[in-house]
Amino acid sequence: MTPIESVVIVGGGTAGWMAAAAAARFLDDGHRRITLVESDAIGTVGVGEATIPPILGFNRLLGIDEAEFVRETGATFKLGIEFVDWGGRGERYFHPFGEHGRDFQGVAFHQYWLKHRHAARIGVLSDYAMAGVAAAAGRFAPPATDPRAPLSQLAYAYHFDAGLYAAFLRRRAEAQGVVRIEGRISGVETDAQTGFVGAVVLEDGRRVAGDLFIDCSGFRSLLLGETLGVGYRDWSHWLPCDRAVAVPAARAAPLPPFTRATAQAAGWQWRIPLQHRTGNGLVYASAHLSDDAAEDALVAGVDAPLAAPRRLSFTAGVRERLWDRNVVALGLAGGFIEPLESTSIHLIQTGISKLFWLFPDKGFSAVERDTYNRLMTEQFEYVRDFIVLHYKATRRDDTPFWRYVRNMAIPDSLAHKIALFREKGRVMRFDHDLFAVPSWVAVMLGQGIAPQGYDPLVDAMDDARICAAMAEMRAGYAAQALRMPLHADYVAAHCPMPGVSGG
Ligand SMILES: Cc1cc2nc3c(=O)[nH]c(=O)nc-3n(C[C@H](O)[C@H](O)[C@H](O)COP(=O)(O)OP(=O)(O)OC[C@H]3O[C@@H](n4cnc5c(N)ncnc54)[C@H](O)[C@@H]3O)c2cc1C
């Protein structure tokens, strides 16, 4: 077994610097060289600012101090996503992080809610999610450690400035020995027999050789796609949005602790609150909306834009293999699913942890590579199904775009999930499925899928006792939320971005 001595990361966006920071922490044994090549002239995609709770685990593994991270990236806290106009126009629902209520006797809480949902004073399901209740009140506090406290059920993630996040990780990675090379790659050397990548060549003739290459070159997929010719599975028949336009605006006041996703005529609009600005963007299908009309619609609905709108185009899907020969692709170089549930950065994190788990030697074993590809492809498919659900389960038919998505054929895996949920509200969750049962339940119900029944085990519990317990739980979440500081006050007290003030 000959160990890998040199790792070359191509690209310095979120994917590249996440990989570099993790490699510096876990691969640097004093013998291995870790090099990152990026081109300031090409730049990064410049978007990607909302995350999901597992990012906390990534930061923790890297030994990142939360307050420092939040200050330096202009971050805010995120308790979930508010969906506006998705199931039908005029409707809204909240997908909270964390759990809904407490299970009784091994049966999921939402089953009890399903049985009693029409009773007086039961409320909506997110009234039983600590994150949902706190978000509605605009409040934030970190989870409690006492498992009996309602606050222990709160889960959260961050919104952060993508450019500042990459810069933050870069400082850490460089301090830990990663060598950054500035320059545009104009050629790639491969072995004539094996096809393995041997080196990347910069415009000025410099050569950067390595054993393992991590392709973080963005949508271009310089090594995996362009050089090794690994094909792309196109999922645009299920996810027809293929464009986005983004524009930053002034900081929102009050500062919401959640992302908002508002359905529009041919796509949807995001609002991501940061400490120093608000990120806004419209994701849309070019078959149904022109780029100029999209930009006009976005800018018209945004107060005080801070910069010119930025246009992006993409195709939903994933590479046929994410690891081929000695190249592993992370981030946009490997695939892209629109950011409706903020999953791309998470997929980078997953790719990094699986790569380190299966870290190769110079022999590049086929079984390790195939295992990686199988696990990562599954991850992309789970995310795909969850996002497609938001489109398929709509009652909207007011535009050609919504008529297309509500009538389109969907993956069998998702069709089965929906059918099972319609029956008695059960969720079929695969072992590695990123989204847990509460997430599927929140979105299925939020989009208007009403189960015909509920789990019969619920009938074993006395109705009056259940309703009383539910009322107590709901009051507990509401009271707890009122004891939490306003999100803006929490940020100002614990982790304000230098030079930013606001309420
Ligand atoms: C509209 C939109 C919204 C998004 N929102 C979210 C979100 O809210 N949450 C989320 O998790 N994700 C989101 N994403 C995805 C997220 O932006 C990406 O996953 C993330 O930024 C990682 O990008 P990257 O590093 O793969 O690519 P990039 O940022 O494009 O970086 C590519 C790097 O490769 C370098 N490079 C390329 N070619 C060469 C060359 N020839 N020579 C040298 N260097 C080269 C570039 O200079 C750059 O440094 C969004 C994406 C889009 C398109």
Side-chain angles (χ1 to χ4, degrees):
M1 205 176 80
T2 323
I4 299 278
E5 289 163 89
S6 167
V7 177
V8 177
I9 298 165
V10 169
T14 300
W17 285 112
M18 282 176 78
R25 176 92 175 176
F26 298 108
L27 295 182
D28 185 14
D29 54 7
H31 305 294
R32 227 184 306 262
R33 278 193 318 282
I34 300 161
T35 312
L36 183 145
V37 186
E38 69 172 316
S39 159
D40 283 342
I42 295 176
T44 67
V45 70
V47 282
E49 311 199 312
T51 60
I52 54 176
I55 187 86
L56 271 73
F58 183 76
N59 283 359
R60 217 175 284 134
L61 274 178
L62 261 50
I64 290 173
D65 172 73
E66 181 173 80
E68 179 192 353
F69 159 78
V70 170
R71 268 195 313 271
E72 294 201 17
T73 61
T76 62
F77 296 90
K78 172 178 172 186
L79 295 171
I81 305 177
E82 182 185 41
F83 289 91
V84 180
D85 290 343
W86 279 84
R89 291 189 73 157
E91 294 180 10
R92 57 180 68 213
Y93 69 93
F94 197 74
H95 169 194
F97 295 142
E99 299 155 55
H100 289 120
R102 306 253 184 206
D103 298 351
F104 296 109
Q105 301 197 336
V107 179
F109 172 83
H110 78 270
Q111 291 291 349
Y112 294 91
W113 180 86
L114 278 176
K115 178 174 180 185
H116 297 289
R117 66 187 188 273
H118 300 303
R121 292 188 296 281
I122 287 296
V124 294
L125 189 62
S126 63
D127 289 348
Y128 298 85
M130 190 65 251
V133 179
R139 290 168 188 266
F140 178 77
T145 47
D146 177 355
R148 291 164 306 176
L151 195 52
S152 68
Q153 291 186 291
L154 181 127
Y156 69 95
Y158 310 106
H159 308 110
F160 54 63
D161 182 310
L164 296 178
Y165 184 53
F168 177 79
L169 293 178
R170 175 180 163 183
R171 282 193 293 281
R172 296 179 69 85
E174 287 189 309
Q176 289 173 335
V178 172
V179 174
R180 173 185 183 272
I181 296 179
E182 163 63 35
R184 186 190 286 258
I185 296 166
S186 56
V188 181
E189 291 176 5
T190 54
D191 183 277
Q193 250 132 49
T194 62
F196 274 48
V197 171
V200 292
V201 183
L202 307 189
E203 270 177 343
D204 60 10
R206 277 177 295 167
R207 236 179 122 258
V208 184
D211 303 319
L212 171 68
F213 286 79
I214 306 185
D215 185 353
C216 301
S217 62
F219 285 127
R220 190 172 161 197
S221 195
L222 190 61
L223 302 184
L224 195 75
E226 272 186 32
T227 306
L228 300 187
V230 174
Y232 196 70
R233 279 189 211 156
D234 180 336
W235 288 338
S236 53
H237 48 296
W238 291 316
L239 294 168
C241 288
D242 58 353
R243 296 276 197 284
V245 54
V247 72
R251 170 188 164 116
L255 193 63
F258 56 89
T259 306
R260 177 178 292 152
T262 306
Q264 301 290 2
W268 60 279
Q269 187 168 335
W270 78 73
R271 185 197 65 179
I272 299 179
L274 306 180
Q275 291 195 43
H276 51 308
R277 61 174 167 78
T278 304
N280 302 282
L282 182 66
V283 173
Y284 59 99
S286 61
H288 298 279
L289 189 68
S290 74
D291 295 338
D292 289 343
E295 187 172 311
D296 291 347
L298 177 66
V299 172
V302 166
D303 285 338
L306 298 176
R310 183 186 173 113
R311 293 181 181 185
L312 300 135
S313 50
F314 49 82
T315 305
V318 64
R319 294 271 154 203
E320 279 160 5
R321 294 175 298 285
L322 288 154
W323 178 345
D324 189 89
R325 286 164 263 203
N326 62 338
V327 174
V328 176
L330 294 174
L332 303 173
F336 182 63
I337 296 171
E338 62 181 71
L340 187 55
E341 288 278 356
S342 321
T343 42
S344 289
I345 294 171
H346 177 77
L347 288 167
I348 298 170
Q349 173 182 345
T350 309
I352 292 171
S353 67
K354 296 206 184 314
L355 173 60
F356 288 175
W357 175 55
L358 292 162
F359 200 72
D361 55 70
K362 282 191 191 171
F364 284 94
S365 126
V367 68
E368 288 170 355
R369 181 201 59 210
D370 293 349
T371 305
Y372 181 89
N373 283 330
R374 185 172 153 193
L375 291 173
M376 285 307 296
T377 304
E378 266 176 19
Q379 287 297 316
F380 271 83
E381 288 172 352
Y382 293 147
V383 171
R384 175 202 67 196
D385 282 5
F386 192 52
I387 303 304
V388 172
L389 169 67
H390 298 66
Y391 288 107
K392 178 67 182 175
T394 184
R395 279 156 286 114
R396 284 187 66 152
D397 62 359
D398 51 305
T399 66
F401 173 81
W402 290 102
R403 285 194 286 279
Y404 171 78
V405 293
R406 70 179 280 180
N407 293 319
M408 69 185 170
I410 54 172
D412 290 347
S413 43
L414 176 59
H416 175 258
K417 252 189 165 122
I418 294 176
L420 185 73
F421 187 79
R422 271 191 209 288
E423 203 58 37
K424 296 191 183 64
R426 293 189 177 107
V427 175
M428 161 99 179
R429 182 177 184 246
F430 300 94
D431 283 353
H432 302 290
D433 194 338
L434 168 59
F435 289 97
V437 170
S439 291
W440 282 95
V441 171
V443 174
M444 295 248 204
L445 290 172
Q447 293 288 140
I449 302 179
Q452 285 154 18
Y454 54 85
D455 188 331
L457 295 181
V458 163
D459 289 332
M461 290 278 281
D462 176 65
D463 286 348
R465 237 185 91 202
I466 286 293
C467 287
M470 287 175 72
E472 194 183 326
M473 236 184 253
R474 189 176 172 206
Y477 295 124
Q480 174 60 60
L482 292 180
R483 290 195 295 275
M484 293 160 75
L486 289 170
H487 179 221
D489 292 346
Y490 182 88
V491 170
H494 298 275
C495 37
M497 187 182 198
V500 173
S501 63

